[in-house]
């Protein structure tokens, strides 16, 4: 049974985003990719159909929310993200916004002007 009070609980309307982030930025992502950006792009390239649109829709919904918990903790526990945002000079919210830019670029909606430093 799913417990909505658990910090690990992922609502149904966030499942695609959770699978995307946890799959792309699992605890060993940096063994395969030099940057989280490359890991995100590879995860998007591996999928087809409306996947990227679904990720973006769910990501925008989460980014607009004001979680009561520390946003970095939410991203780590709920979405399985293993990135130290401060290493890229960003807060967790800024980093999530950057992920949105990466997805939009993948969808052909303009260049990503918020690239993470290598």
């Amino acid at each position: 049974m799913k417990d909505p009070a658990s910090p690990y609980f992922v609502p149904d309307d966030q499942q695609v985003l959770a699978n995307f982030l946890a799959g792309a930025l699992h605890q060993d992502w940096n063994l395969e990719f030099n940057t989280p950006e490359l890991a995100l792009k590879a995860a998007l390239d591996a999928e087809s159909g409306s996947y990227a649109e679904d990720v973006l829709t769910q990501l925008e919904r989460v980014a607009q929310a004001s979680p009561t918990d520390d946003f970095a903790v939410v991203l780590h526990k709920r979405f399985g993200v293993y990135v130290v945002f401060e290493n890229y000079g960003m807060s967790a919210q800024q980093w999530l916004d950057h992920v949105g830019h990466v997805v939009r670029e993948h969808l052909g909606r303009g260049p990503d002007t918020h690239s993470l430093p290598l």
Side-chain angles (χ1 to χ4, degrees), residues 3 6 10-11 23 32 50 68 74 81 92-93 98 101-102 107 115:
D3 179 8
S6 169
V10 178
E32 191 173 349
S50 65
T68 56
V74 170
V81 173
Q93 178 70 50
H98 172 71
H101 292 290
V102 172
L107 290 168
S115 295

Side-chain angles (χ1 to χ4, degrees), residues 30-87:
N30 59 344
L31 297 177
E32 191 173 349
F33 301 99
N34 292 329
T35 67
E37 213 170 40
L38 292 174
L40 293 167
K41 289 177 181 183
L44 290 167
D45 289 343
E47 297 293 336
S48 60
S50 65
Y51 182 78
E53 282 288 347
D54 294 342
V55 166
L56 185 60
T57 298
Q58 292 182 13
L59 187 144
E60 288 173 342
R61 194 175 309 129
V62 169
Q64 292 173 4
S66 298
T68 56
D69 297 326
D70 177 23
F71 208 56
V73 173
V74 170
L75 287 172
H76 176 71
K77 289 185 177 181
R78 182 178 301 163
F79 297 118
V81 173
Y82 284 85
V83 173
V84 180
F85 316 108
E86 294 82 8
N87 287 352

